[in-house]
């Protein structure tokens, strides 16, 4: 495996065996994995007594590269290692200067650089120096299609199972903010009745505040099935509860679904497994909805629908729209999709 392809799980697995690198440069658009790795190092490399003298946490806005190098060059006190964590490293200028330290890093120091909402230029000398002596990890944003697999995997590690509908409700409602999503998952685990290890849509409704009957998952399902009555009932509910069902979230999810549907027409194999593999879906059950939609919407109609969603999105932001509220806009859009 090439170093740039290393995953969060790979890093945690290596750390658990007691193999430590002189530097971990954690960068990217998804803060969740950056925090997960840096927190693991902070919590597990040193015991509580060792932390008093050998754990240094600094913030990018308060330090420069020289300060970081000086901290990294210190020797540990009464411990095999010292840990230096630099949070919000995206605020540091001239990070390139760190490459001088990395030509001969102190092996007793574990330097953790947390660079969020951006990446290091891999063509620069610093990237090469990091990869030579440590870990250069890019934390990429999770795609909407990967969310159900993330939820299932996270809960499985906690010994909890979810019904597919419960998984989709959560994915649609929370979206790709993994820190918020894991917070909601932990809330669900805590509220599970004693002895129960399976999360149902009813529990999602009760504990997260998403209606099990009136949500984006059910609206998408009604559109796929061309169930006009059900779709309009859900839109009416959304209109009456705009805070929990903002139109932007609904339009984004519909756009994602029909964009994927357009791609599904190009899948070499039009089966559950074939479409799942082509769209990068981890679970074949996710592809059933696409197969159902392909029976009801042809490629030309799908392209028209994508155009209508874009148009509705512009209108929801006030472009060419002086009178329609969000409920009326959504009703108009769904009418155009279904007819």
């Amino acid at each position: 495996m090439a170093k740039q392809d290393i995953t969060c799980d790979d890093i945690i697995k290596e750390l658990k065996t007691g193999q430590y690198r002189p530097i971990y440069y954690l960068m990217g658009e998804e803060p969740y994995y950056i925090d997960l790795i840096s927190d693991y190092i902070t919590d597990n490399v040193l015991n509580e007594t060792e932390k008093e003298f050998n754990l240094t946490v600094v913030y990018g806005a308060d330090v420069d590269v020289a300060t970081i190098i000086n901290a990294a060059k210190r020797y540990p006190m009464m411990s095999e290692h010292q840990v230096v964590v630099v949070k919000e490293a995206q605020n540091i200028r001239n990070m390139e200067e760190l490459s001088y330290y990395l030509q001969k890093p102190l092996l007793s120091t574990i330097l953790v650089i947390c660079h969020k909402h951006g990446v290091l230029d891999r063509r620069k000398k610093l990237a090469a120096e990091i990869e030579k002596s440590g870990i250069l990890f890019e934390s990429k944003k999770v795609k909407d299609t990967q969310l159900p697999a993330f939820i299932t995997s996270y809960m499985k590690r906690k010994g909890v199972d979810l019904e597919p509908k419960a998984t989709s409700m959560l994915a649609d409602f929370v979206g790709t903010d993994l820190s918020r999503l894991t917070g909601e998952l932990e809330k669900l685990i805590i509220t599970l009745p004693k002895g129960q290890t399976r999360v149902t849509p009813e529990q999602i409704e009760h504990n997260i505040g998403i209606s099990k009957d009136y949500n984006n998952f059910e609206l998408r399902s009604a559109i796929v099935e061309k169930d006009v009555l059900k779709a309009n009932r859900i839109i009416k509910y959304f209109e009456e509860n705009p805070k929990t069902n903002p139109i932007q979230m609904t339009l984004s999810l519909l756009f994602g679904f029909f964009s994927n549907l357009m791609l599904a027409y190009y899948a070499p194999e039009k089966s559950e497994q074939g479409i799942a593999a082509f769209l990068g879906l981890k679970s074949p059950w996710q592809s059933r909805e696409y197969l159902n939609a392909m029976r009801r919407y042809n490629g030309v109609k799908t392209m028209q629908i994508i155009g209508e969603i874009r148009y509705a999105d512009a209108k929801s932001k006030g472009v060419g729209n002086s009178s329609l509220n969000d409920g009326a806009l959504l009703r108009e859009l769904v009418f155009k999709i279904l007819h």
Side-chain angles (χ1 to χ4, degrees), residues 187-245:
K187 190 198 294 184
L188 278 172
I189 292 166
I190 292 165
T191 54
L192 268 177
K194 195 174 180 181
Q196 191 174 325
T197 58
R198 188 169 175 83
V199 176
T200 64
E202 286 76 18
Q203 280 158 326
I204 300 281
E205 180 175 46
H206 183 68
N207 295 300
I208 309 294
I210 316 167
S211 166
K212 69 180 174 64
D213 297 316
Y214 301 100
N215 55 66
N216 284 308
F217 171 77
E218 290 295 341
L219 177 61
R220 191 175 63 212
S221 175
I223 288 169
V224 168
E225 300 295 333
K226 290 204 165 184
D227 188 333
V228 178
L229 187 62
K230 181 180 175 183
N232 280 301
R233 273 205 306 263
I234 295 168
I235 292 166
K236 185 173 184 293
Y237 179 86
F238 283 7
E239 202 170 6
E240 291 165 356
N241 299 272
K243 283 188 178 177
T244 50
N245 302 280

Side-chain angles (χ1 to χ4, degrees), residues 107-151:
L107 297 181
S108 56
T109 293
I110 299 166
L111 177 59
V112 184
I113 309 278
C114 304
H115 176 160
K116 295 180 178 177
H117 314 299
V119 294
L120 205 60
D121 188 340
R122 289 182 184 272
R123 297 166 298 180
K124 297 279 181 75
K125 183 182 176 185
L126 179 57
E129 292 290 351
I130 293 166
E131 292 196 305
K132 194 163 71 179
S133 59
I135 297 282
L136 181 61
F137 168 73
E138 184 177 350
S139 182
K140 294 177 180 174
K141 271 284 182 195
V142 172
K143 296 174 184 171
D144 290 331
T145 53
Q146 297 169 320
L147 278 178
F150 175 88
I151 293 167

Side-chain angles (χ1 to χ4, degrees), residues 29-62:
E29 296 299 325
E30 179 46 71
Y32 173 75
Y33 292 113
I34 294 172
D35 289 337
L36 199 66
I37 296 165
S38 66
D39 288 349
Y40 185 89
I41 292 170
T42 305
D43 294 342
N44 294 284
V45 172
L46 305 171
N47 64 37
E48 290 308 312
T49 309
E50 289 170 334
K51 283 177 189 176
E52 285 183 39
F53 300 104
N54 301 292
L55 174 62
T56 304
V57 179
V58 295
Y59 289 82
D62 305 325

Side-chain angles (χ1 to χ4, degrees), residues 220-286:
R220 191 175 63 212
S221 175
I223 288 169
V224 168
E225 300 295 333
K226 290 204 165 184
D227 188 333
V228 178
L229 187 62
K230 181 180 175 183
N232 280 301
R233 273 205 306 263
I234 295 168
I235 292 166
K236 185 173 184 293
Y237 179 86
F238 283 7
E239 202 170 6
E240 291 165 356
N241 299 272
K243 283 188 178 177
T244 50
N245 302 280
I247 190 170
Q248 292 302 328
M249 184 188 286
T250 302
L251 294 176
S252 173
L253 291 165
L254 288 176
F255 183 80
F257 178 78
F258 281 101
S259 297
N260 276 334
L261 180 61
M262 197 69 235
L263 287 175
Y265 285 108
Y266 296 95
E269 191 191 331
K270 308 290 193 294
S271 66
E272 276 184 27
Q273 288 76 13
I275 286 173
F278 191 73
L279 294 179
L281 308 172
K282 298 292 182 186
S283 307
W285 62 262
Q286 286 177 258

